[in-house]
């Protein structure tokens, strides 16, 4: 199981930090706290988030 730092997670999901944190607060993205007080994210869960939030066909992201 691979864990990513916040910076790595932001690069993977291509969201701004404020938007990423909003999604986290809303429960769309789960954060894990390590013993050294870092916040980490499971790569597999971020991939699942991306797959479930793909833009619909025929729609253009603004």
């Amino acid at each position: 199981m691979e864990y990513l730092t916040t910076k790595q997670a932001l690069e993977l999901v291509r969201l701004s930090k404020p938007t990423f944190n909003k999604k986290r607060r809303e429960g769309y993205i789960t954060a894990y706290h390590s013993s050294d007080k870092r916040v980490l994210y499971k790569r597999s869960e971020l991939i699942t988030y991306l797959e479930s939030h793909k833009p619909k066909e025929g729609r253009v992201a603004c």
Side-chain angles (χ1 to χ4, degrees), residues 17-30:
K17 193 170 185 176
T19 301
F20 186 83
N21 286 331
K22 179 181 178 190
K23 297 294 182 188
R24 191 173 115 188
R25 283 191 308 275
E26 292 173 345
Y28 293 107
I29 297 172
T30 303

Side-chain angles (χ1 to χ4, degrees), residues 5-16:
T5 64
T6 300
K7 182 178 178 181
Q8 292 168 324
L10 288 170
E11 290 172 3
L12 178 67
V13 298
R14 295 184 176 180
L15 293 174
S16 68

Side-chain angles (χ1 to χ4, degrees), residues 12-50:
L12 178 67
V13 298
R14 295 184 176 180
L15 293 174
S16 68
K17 193 170 185 176
T19 301
F20 186 83
N21 286 331
K22 179 181 178 190
K23 297 294 182 188
R24 191 173 115 188
R25 283 191 308 275
E26 292 173 345
Y28 293 107
I29 297 172
T30 303
Y32 298 88
H33 299 273
S34 67
S35 59
D36 59 352
K37 298 183 181 181
R38 291 188 307 158
V39 178
L40 300 172
Y41 304 88
K42 286 184 184 176
R43 183 189 229 349
S44 60
E45 290 180 2
L46 293 173
I47 297 295
T48 301
Y49 167 80
L50 287 172

